[in-house]
Amino acid sequence: MIQPLAYIHPEAKIARNVVVEPFAMIHKDVEIDEGTWVGSHAVINEGARIGKNCRIFPGAVVSAIPQDLKYNDEYTLTFIGDNTTIREYATISRGTEQHWKTEVGSNCLVMAYAHIAHDCVVGNNCIIGNNVQMAGHVHVGDWAIVSAISAIHQFVKIGTHVFISGGSLVRKDIPPFTKAAREPISYAGINSVGLRRRGYTNEKITEIQNVYRYIYMKGLNNAEALNLIELELPASDERDEIVNFIRTSERGIMKGPHQVSTSEATE
C-alpha cells in the first residue's frame, strides 16, 4: 500500500493497511495507525502520532517544528485523532516545552490552507475552515466550527458547540454554545441550529438562551451575571459549563452586540 516513490524513514511505524501515495514524505519517529491515507507531497514530520482512518491530502504538513523563536529543539509531539481529515496545504505544528504537544481530536475536518500552531488543543468533531490561522496555545472545544479566513489570537479559548463566522478576528474567549460574528467580534445568539443537529431539545436550547440573557442582555457585569445565574436558574450541565468557562477565562469573553465601544470598533 506504500508507493515506491514515497519516502518512508525506516524507523517510522506504519500500520499494514496505510496507503502512502507517491512523493509523500514520512520522517522518523512517526506513528500512523491503520486505515489512514497519506496523499502525494504530504509531509509527516518527526513526532507525529496519527490515528486510524485519517485522510491527509496533498501538500499538508503535519508536526513541523513550531514557528516560535523560543523553541530550542526540545522533543515534542503532534497527535491527530481517528477519522480526521486534513486537507490540502494545511499545516499543524508540534508543541513546545510549555505544553509538549499539539492535539487535534477525532472526527475533525481541517480545511485547505488552515494553520494550527504549536501547543493548540482542538477537540473532537470540530471543523476548521479554509485559511483559518490559529496562533499558539489556542484551545477549541468539541463540536466547534471556525469558519474560513478567521484569525485566532494566541491563548484564546473557544467553547464547545461554538460557531464563529467567516473572516472573524478572535481576540477574546468565545463561551460555549454561542455564535460569534461582526467586527469587533461579539455575541450573535446561541448556536441553535448546530445544537438541534446534535440532538438538543427545544427546552434545553431555551435553557441555554436564558443563561446568556443574564450575560448579554441585562446590563450586568460578568460577576453580577454569574452570581444571579447560580441564584436564579436551575443547575444543569450546560449552565455550569457556561459559568465555569466564563469564571476561568483569562483573556475575558467576547462582548455583547451593544457592549462594543467606539475605540474597540476602530482597533
Side-chain angles (χ1 to χ4, degrees):
M1 306 296 282
I2 297 176
Q3 298 297 319
L5 293 177
Y7 168 77
I8 312 291
H9 192 280
E11 295 178 19
K13 297 178 181 178
I14 312 296
R16 285 182 177 269
N17 61 346
V18 169
V19 175
V20 183
E21 300 288 4
F23 308 109
M25 297 185 67
I26 298 176
H27 292 267
K28 69 177 182 178
D29 190 29
V30 168
E31 298 177 13
I32 303 178
D33 213 335
E34 59 189 31
T36 288
W37 173 80
V38 181
S40 298
H41 300 284
V43 179
I44 315 298
N45 289 291
E46 296 178 33
R49 304 289 185 264
I50 297 172
K52 298 177 181 178
N53 302 315
C54 294
R55 295 188 299 163
I56 302 173
F57 277 70
V61 179
V62 176
S63 203
I65 64 170
Q67 297 178 116
D68 184 341
L69 295 177
K70 299 185 297 299
Y71 178 73
N72 194 30
D73 203 30
E74 58 263 32
Y75 180 73
T76 58
L77 299 170
T78 302
F79 289 91
I80 309 295
D82 297 341
N83 306 306
T84 284
T85 296
I86 302 170
R87 292 302 303 254
E88 294 85 353
Y89 300 100
T91 55
I92 302 174
S93 301
R94 65 178 181 256
T96 69
E97 64 180 357
Q98 291 193 23
H99 187 63
W100 300 106
K101 58 186 176 180
T102 300
E103 300 175 77
V104 177
S106 298
N107 306 306
C108 292
L109 171 58
V110 181
M111 293 188 186
Y113 294 95
H115 175 65
I116 298 174
H118 59 88
D119 303 293
C120 287
V121 178
V122 177
N124 300 317
N125 303 293
C126 293
I127 298 174
I128 308 301
N130 294 302
N131 246 320
V132 167
Q133 303 297 293
M134 191 180 299
H137 308 280
V138 169
H139 281 225
V140 181
D142 295 345
W143 294 103
I145 297 175
V146 184
S147 299
I149 324 178
S150 294
I152 306 174
H153 195 283
Q154 60 189 7
F155 293 101
V156 157
K157 293 183 178 179
I158 295 169
T160 58
H161 298 282
V162 158
F163 178 87
I164 297 175
S165 69
S168 293
L169 303 177
V170 185
R171 306 179 182 95
K172 296 289 187 179
D173 293 348
I174 311 298
F177 312 110
T178 61
K179 294 184 295 185
R182 310 182 182 94
E183 174 55 29
I185 198 165
S186 58
Y187 176 71
I190 72 163
N191 184 16
S192 56
V193 172
L195 293 175
R196 287 192 181 95
R197 288 173 177 168
R198 294 158 206 152
Y200 280 74
T201 64
N202 289 335
E203 291 76 16
K204 184 60 69 174
I205 290 170
T206 298
E207 176 189 311
I208 294 168
Q209 286 173 328
N210 288 337
V211 173
Y212 280 109
R213 287 191 179 100
Y214 283 80
I215 302 297
Y216 290 119
M217 303 300 174
K218 291 181 178 287
L220 304 170
N221 65 40
N222 288 341
E224 293 169 338
L226 296 178
N227 289 336
L228 284 175
I229 288 167
E230 291 182 315
L231 182 66
E232 297 180 0
L233 298 180
S236 69
D237 291 342
E238 290 77 15
R239 187 205 75 166
D240 293 344
E241 181 177 350
I242 295 165
V243 168
N244 291 334
F245 183 98
I246 296 172
R247 279 223 168 101
T248 59
S249 173
E250 296 180 359
R251 294 191 57 79
I253 64 169
M254 67 176 173
K255 293 189 175 183
H258 307 300
Q259 296 174 319
V260 178
S261 68
T262 302
S263 61
E264 287 176 305
T266 57
E267 279 185 354

